[in-house]
Amino acid sequence: MLSTLYALLFYTASVLMVVGLALKIRKYARTPAPLKIPTTPAPTTRGGVVLRMAREVVFFESLFKSNKWIWLFGYLFHVGLLLVLLRHFRYFTNPVWWWVELIQPFGVYASFAMVAGLAGLWARRFLVERIRYISSPSDHLMLALLLAIGLSGMTMKFAAQTDIVAVKVFFLGLMRFQINELPMHLPLLVHLGLVAILMIIFPISKLLHVPGLFFSPSRNQVDNSRDKRHLAPWAAELEK
Amino acid sequence: MVPLDDDSKKNDVRGPTGHPLEIPRLACGAMADLESYHAKPAHNEPLGFPGELIDDWKEVAIAKIGELASKNRAFQVYLDACVKCGACTDKCHYFLGTGDPKNMPVARQDLLRSVYRRYYTFAGKNFPWLVGARDLTREVLDEWYNYYHQCSQCRRCSVFCPYGIDTAEISMAAREILDTVGQGQKYCNEIIAKVKDVGNNLGLNPKALRATLEDLEEDLEEETGISVRLPLDEKGADILLITPSADFFAEPHIEGLLGYAKVFHAAGVSWTISSYASEAANFGMFIGSYENMREVSLRIRKAAQDLGVKRIVFGECGHAWRVAYSFLNTLAGPFDFLDQNYPIPQHILEFTHAEIEKGTLNFDKSRNDEYRMTYHDSCNVARGSRMGDKPGGQFEIPRAVLKAVCNNYFDMDRDTIKESTVCCGGGGGLLTDELMDLRTKGASPRMKALQQVTEDHGVTHMAAICAICKTQFSKVMPKFGYEMDSVLSVHQLVSNAIILDGQQTADDTSEAEE
Amino acid sequence: MSYDVNGTSVEHDEEGYITNLADWTEDLANVIAKAEEVDMNEEHWEVVNFLRSYYEEYQIAPAVRVLIKAVKKTMGPEKGNNKYMYELFPYGPAKQACKIAGLPKPTGCV
């Protein structure tokens, strides 16, 4: 019964996340940027922009310039999350890909980094006056949600172990549209439930910073306005 | 002491001046009542906006948010992408100067984002309390007016945002929404209307412009003993100079204009000013109006075509150079009728720098020995444009020119120059007397950085390449212990040092200039 | 918003510039100067009169440099400088003197 419910939940969450993100990305892609507004100094070539964007995505370059504490906590969280996510491929692949095996030990400890980063970011929301001022309930809840996902996951790894073989059977089944039995284990049910919630709210929350970064004109535009005329379709209409 | 705050160090005020970027305690509502004068119908209507607040302002404003989000990717993405990380919270000079939390970039954006969420997002429509969404009310509209006219659109926050969110884009959009419902700002809109009518911000008509230029030619001849021209409306000249009208009117701007004239003279090029396009400034940018910005830009295109010039060179003006460098090709291009061997448009500093490299200019640097100089990077030049071929040329070229004409040059604190430069406090349409309190407070980070180099290196003067910066500093510097003429045009220093062929080089020349 | 000049009221804008330039009289100039806390003496009048005659010819206030040059001719070099102008009109010769002279406010980046 609960297995069916969770199966449906994950199908729904996946569809909402994928379709929601696709719609948002389509919207960003189709909305024209009428003017050249890269924050300068900016690269003068497409390749340079790819590098600039890579530095933002891989190193959080601008955040590093801005504030070392936010950078440290944010980086710990994001890198931790990335490794943890990659490690989770083991529940969706059979046999497990070699590189997933390779990062397995790092992935486990990355959860500590992830949780520590989240805790630091959350602490700042209480302790730094300026950030307390700009925080909405949703900003706290988002951190609570991510923290609860991390902690429930760690509980299963380090405290009350769950039957991960059964979990894997469940998810491999979902990928073939079969509903197998999910272990009735509280930390697991909490963990999966919260992950589904995160997937559902992804396209309608500030998690849109993920696709948003790639569409940010101040970062993704080439500084070549004198050499190449840039004209938005609606602006071209004005010239007729 | 607040733990986990790396900046707490900066809260320890050291000495009487303190760190330029010292973070204040929050002073909620400190600037809430500062309201710049509203535009009259006579200012709004020529720009295509309703004269006064329209009856259905609420519906129109909400619809305008949607329209702008569909026409401007930056606006759409920036409304969605912010995670409230706080990286920008201590980056705005107006926040640093006033402590008002609504002058923190993210909080300024949220004034509009909260309304966007309420009407355009699932979460804001259904759970407004959760995501800080709010209804658009008259109070909110008034709050927009006051706080979006406390942003100089300097883009400093955008440098430090992990997603490049640019508060300037939000502030421009907010002003366009306000204009659309008849809540324009007097300072900007009166000026744009004047450009459309007379050709410049000042309202300087061709007759007065000609008289001013002739007067300046007399001064130049008196100073140098040779004829240095300031041509007006001369067809067939090679170069059209587009410079802020403040260069025809105010101090130290005019000294810069004399510098351009001397450089053109020494370089042996023919040039002209246009009475039709006698303005580099384009306040259409400040109010976020593509259409108005385009209309003002097209005057430059028309002037260039009518006069048959081959090149366009821009004088010292910060936001004008952003519009010129980044937008002119878009707004008024293509400039296929100009000489493609030169940048279109070109900055006067690029021109002067190239002449220095070629060795065509003669300088006696000692003529600037009375000054110990530093340089203020203007925000729009620093973060919204470029000079030369390489990224960062906008920082290197002005410094190279300054060092070519002055013996004593020192940079200010590295966190307050180049891409991290702090705004003068008067940009973005805020250079109006009723905002003097904000302008003074917003200038304090720059002034503290200046005080540091005064203490450390005995710096006496600061050079700038923006009409707004020059006026702003000459007004606020006396409040920080400097004479009002402690701000100089870069080309004023060029003018002081340059020695033209055949020029009388009596020792008293430089004194006579003072 | 208006100035009271011997019982008649003269309209001005929120910054104190008169809205109808034809309303200007010497009495009005004294009233505006009083509101601006400027004590009008012969030198103030010299500047005001120059501004008015320049405006009459060119429909705009002169550049500060042009004003100073004119003042230098009539009052001598020790008074023909920017600093002295600010002593006469602390809020600036361009803005405050124009206000007293009944000229519109110079707009732009000035």
Side-chain angles (χ1 to χ4, degrees):
Chain A
M1 176 63 204
L2 212 53
S3 301
T4 313
L5 203 66
Y6 266 75
L8 291 177
L9 179 65
F10 268 89
Y11 283 133
T12 314
S14 304
V15 169
L16 285 176
M17 184 170 95
V18 170
V19 173
L21 273 179
L23 287 176
K24 271 288 180 187
I25 288 171
R26 191 177 69 160
K27 186 184 220 177
Y28 294 160
R30 286 190 175 178
T31 306
L35 293 166
K36 275 296 185 95
I37 60 164
T39 312
T40 58
T44 53
T45 60
R46 201 72 243 170
V49 164
V50 171
L51 266 181
R52 179 186 204 176
M53 199 56 96
R55 290 198 308 273
E56 289 293 0
V57 173
V58 179
F59 302 114
F60 301 2
E61 182 184 41
S62 296
L63 187 58
F64 186 78
K65 279 185 206 166
S66 173
N67 188 307
K68 301 294 186 281
W69 283 110
I70 305 179
W71 180 85
L72 177 69
F73 292 137
Y75 204 73
L76 273 177
F77 160 57
H78 282 90
V79 171
L81 177 64
L82 175 69
L83 284 171
V84 167
L85 279 178
L86 293 177
R87 193 188 80 87
H88 277 67
F89 271 115
R90 68 186 287 108
Y91 301 113
F92 301 90
T93 52
N94 198 21
V96 175
W97 297 335
W98 66 269
W99 58 268
V100 176
E101 293 279 16
L102 198 71
I103 59 168
Q104 168 71 12
F106 304 103
V108 171
Y109 292 103
S111 60
F112 287 97
M114 174 183 156
V115 165
L118 286 167
L121 290 173
W122 206 0
R124 283 183 64 86
R125 292 215 180 271
F126 290 103
L127 298 173
V128 181
E129 191 184 29
R130 305 187 307 282
I131 301 182
R132 192 163 63 228
Y133 180 89
I134 58 168
S135 300
S136 300
S138 59
D139 299 313
H140 288 282
L141 280 177
M142 188 64 78
L143 287 166
L145 177 64
L146 288 163
L147 206 52
I149 290 172
L151 290 173
S152 55
M154 288 167 80
T155 305
M156 285 182 279
K157 181 73 202 170
F158 299 108
Q161 295 209 342
T162 200
D163 181 356
I164 54 165
V165 176
V167 174
K168 181 160 179 170
V169 169
F170 176 77
F171 278 103
L172 286 174
L174 284 191
M175 291 167 72
R176 293 176 186 81
F177 299 102
Q178 299 163 4
I179 300 175
N180 297 322
E181 204 58 32
L182 189 67
M184 289 302 116
H185 183 243
L186 190 64
L188 175 69
L189 297 179
V190 169
H191 187 71
L192 294 181
L194 295 177
V195 168
I197 290 176
L198 187 72
M199 289 165 72
I200 290 168
I201 63 173
F202 204 110
I204 54 165
S205 69
K206 66 178 184 178
L207 299 177
L208 285 173
H209 69 277
V210 179
L213 170 59
F214 295 94
F215 289 96
S216 174
S218 66
R219 292 291 182 269
N220 75 9
Q221 287 185 338
V222 182
D223 172 13
N224 62 357
S225 50
R226 283 197 287 198
D227 307 324
K228 195 161 175 281
R229 188 164 187 234
H230 172 93
L231 197 64
W234 65 259
E237 290 295 311
L238 298 175
E239 299 189 355
K240 284 180 184 161
Chain B
M1 183 88 51
V2 184
L4 291 178
D5 191 339
D6 53 308
D7 309 306
S8 52
K9 214 168 56 239
K10 290 177 189 161
N11 283 326
D12 302 331
V13 181
R14 285 171 285 117
T17 53
H19 190 278
L21 304 176
E22 171 195 334
I23 301 169
R25 303 292 307 191
L26 297 192
C28 292
M31 305 304 281
D33 297 326
L34 185 69
E35 181 177 4
S36 56
Y37 296 133
H38 288 245
K40 305 254 182 318
H43 309 136
N44 286 335
E45 282 157 5
L47 279 60
F49 302 127
E52 293 171 319
L53 186 65
I54 54 177
D55 292 334
D56 54 346
W57 61 269
K58 190 175 160 181
E59 292 71 31
V60 171
I62 292 167
K64 190 73 183 176
I65 295 176
E67 184 200 322
L68 291 177
S70 71
K71 283 168 79 177
N72 183 349
R73 181 187 291 167
F75 186 59
Q76 174 67 63
V77 170
Y78 296 163
L79 287 174
D80 282 340
C82 178
V83 300
K84 318 288 170 79
C85 73
C88 63
T89 53
D90 57 349
K91 300 299 184 276
C92 175
H93 53 292
Y94 291 120
F95 170 69
L96 295 178
T98 66
D100 189 323
K102 286 180 182 158
N103 278 329
M104 299 190 296
V106 49
R108 197 189 307 283
Q109 297 160 21
D110 275 352
L111 299 175
L112 204 153
R113 185 180 285 121
S114 56
V115 173
Y116 161 77
R117 284 188 169 166
R118 183 75 182 98
Y119 298 100
Y120 288 97
T121 69
F122 174 83
K125 282 178 191 166
N126 298 289
F127 313 101
W129 52 272
L130 186 66
V131 293
R134 57 180 184 163
D135 291 327
L136 180 57
T137 62
R138 186 59 210 262
E139 286 70 37
V140 170
L141 192 77
D142 292 343
E143 193 180 38
W144 283 359
Y145 186 88
N146 288 9
Y147 282 104
Y148 285 117
H149 290 104
Q150 294 185 35
C151 167
S152 59
Q153 307 174 341
C154 80
R155 313 189 90 201
R156 190 166 191 267
C157 48
S158 149
V159 170
F160 295 102
C161 173
Y163 321 116
I165 296 174
D166 182 4
T167 312
E169 290 294 313
I170 307 285
S171 146
M172 289 168 188
R175 292 186 192 179
E176 186 167 22
I177 295 164
L178 286 163
D179 273 323
T180 307
V181 300
Q183 290 291 87
Q185 185 222 29
K186 181 183 173 190
Y187 177 70
C188 283
N189 291 6
E190 180 179 24
I191 281 173
I192 297 170
K194 238 175 227 190
V195 175
K196 292 188 182 193
D197 185 26
V198 190
N200 55 63
N201 289 3
L202 206 52
L204 193 66
N205 58 62
K207 181 184 172 192
L209 177 57
R210 187 172 295 280
T212 304
L213 295 177
E214 282 169 2
D215 204 83
L216 294 175
E217 283 180 346
E218 269 174 36
D219 290 358
L220 278 172
E221 182 150 10
E222 204 171 297
E223 179 205 331
T224 62
I226 56 173
S227 161
V228 178
R229 301 212 45 226
L230 285 155
L232 181 67
D233 292 333
E234 286 192 3
K235 286 200 174 179
D238 284 344
I239 293 175
L240 170 62
L241 175 77
I242 301 288
T243 205
S245 58
D247 281 0
F248 307 126
F249 190 84
E251 300 290 336
H253 311 60
I254 258 185
E255 310 292 338
L257 175 66
L258 300 182
Y260 319 152
K262 287 187 188 177
V263 170
F264 286 140
H265 178 96
V269 293
S270 70
W271 66 289
T272 186
I273 290 164
S274 155
S275 63
Y276 175 75
S278 43
E279 183 61 69
N282 192 332
F283 281 24
M285 182 175 94
F286 295 159
I287 63 166
S289 167
Y290 189 97
E291 289 78 3
N292 277 289
M293 190 158 56
R294 176 167 178 267
E295 207 177 311
V296 172
S297 295
L298 285 171
R299 294 181 75 95
I300 296 170
R301 180 187 179 87
K302 182 168 173 0
Q305 282 174 325
D306 290 352
L307 293 167
V309 297
K310 301 192 181 81
R311 304 164 63 178
I312 299 176
V313 171
F314 271 73
E316 297 180 3
C317 182
H319 82 281
W321 182 240
R322 182 177 183 201
V323 177
Y325 174 86
S326 293
F327 307 156
L328 197 67
N329 199 5
T330 296
L331 296 166
F335 289 97
D336 41 15
F337 57 93
L338 296 176
D339 186 340
Q340 304 296 313
N341 292 315
Y342 298 94
I344 306 167
Q346 190 175 29
H347 195 281
I348 184 69
L349 273 161
E350 292 179 313
F351 183 91
T352 301
H353 185 248
E355 293 299 320
I356 292 173
E357 301 260 279
K358 275 194 268 172
T360 51
L361 308 181
N362 259 325
F363 295 119
D364 176 1
K365 290 166 89 166
S366 69
R367 290 171 162 222
N368 283 318
D369 277 355
E370 63 184 297
Y371 305 120
R372 294 178 71 80
M373 294 306 307
T374 190
Y375 172 69
H376 166 76
D377 290 281
S378 296
C379 51
N380 275 298
V381 176
R383 292 182 284 258
S385 79
R386 191 179 81 203
M387 290 179 199
D389 301 331
K390 289 190 239 6
Q394 67 269 39
F395 311 134
E396 305 316 323
I397 288 176
R399 284 171 173 79
V401 170
L402 280 170
K403 287 173 185 169
V405 300
C406 303
N407 281 314
N408 306 303
Y409 177 82
F410 307 90
D411 265 330
M412 288 179 278
D413 186 303
R414 59 188 293 261
D415 292 333
T416 71
I417 57 169
K418 301 186 177 176
E419 74 168 353
S420 303
T421 188
V422 279
C423 164
C424 65
L430 310 185
L431 192 76
T432 180
D433 293 342
E434 71 271 20
L435 295 179
M436 192 51 89
D437 180 38
L438 177 81
R439 286 167 54 186
T440 308
K441 289 170 176 163
S444 66
R446 168 50 75 228
M447 289 293 99
K448 286 179 187 169
L450 177 61
Q451 283 164 342
Q452 280 184 335
V453 283
T454 296
E455 277 170 37
D456 297 347
H457 302 290
V459 164
T460 58
H461 288 72
M462 182 165 71
I465 54 165
C466 166
I468 289 176
C469 295
K470 293 171 197 174
T471 298
Q472 158 75 352
F473 285 130
S474 68
K475 295 286 191 294
V476 302
M477 281 177 123
K479 299 173 203 274
F480 294 89
Y482 294 90
E483 298 284 338
M484 63 179 299
D485 53 9
S486 306
V487 60
L488 306 177
S489 298
V490 168
H491 272 81
Q492 173 176 10
L493 294 152
V494 173
S495 171
N496 291 346
I498 199 167
I499 307 213
L500 304 175
D501 280 347
Q503 178 172 349
Q504 300 161 346
T505 48
D507 286 337
D508 57 303
T509 317
S510 60
E511 282 165 37
E513 254 199 309
E514 282 295 285
Chain C
M1 287 177 284
S2 61
Y3 294 111
D4 178 52
V5 188
N6 307 324
T8 58
S9 73
V10 176
E11 207 186 317
H12 65 76
D13 68 8
E14 59 267 78
E15 294 171 83
Y17 294 84
I18 57 171
T19 35
N20 181 0
L21 306 190
D23 286 343
W24 191 85
T25 58
E26 291 195 358
D27 286 346
L28 172 66
N30 280 315
V31 172
I32 303 175
K34 204 167 174 193
E36 293 282 313
E37 295 175 354
V38 170
D39 202 3
M40 294 291 284
N41 63 26
E42 209 177 305
E43 281 150 355
H44 290 99
W45 279 112
E46 188 88 36
V47 172
V48 164
N49 290 332
F50 176 76
L51 289 178
R52 286 193 62 82
S53 67
Y54 192 95
Y55 187 85
E56 205 166 303
E57 182 164 3
Y58 296 110
Q59 282 75 54
I60 188 149
V64 177
R65 190 185 171 100
V66 173
L67 168 67
I68 288 171
K69 209 157 117 186
V71 170
K72 209 184 253 177
K73 273 181 194 151
T74 55
M75 296 191 222
E78 70 280 1
K79 290 180 181 170
N81 60 61
N82 210 16
K83 200 172 255 175
Y84 190 73
M85 285 301 112
Y86 273 83
E87 277 173 36
L88 287 179
F89 301 100
Y91 286 95
K95 291 197 173 166
Q96 201 170 28
C98 281
K99 195 187 285 185
I100 296 169
L103 273 46
K105 178 176 135 164
T107 53
C109 309
V110 297

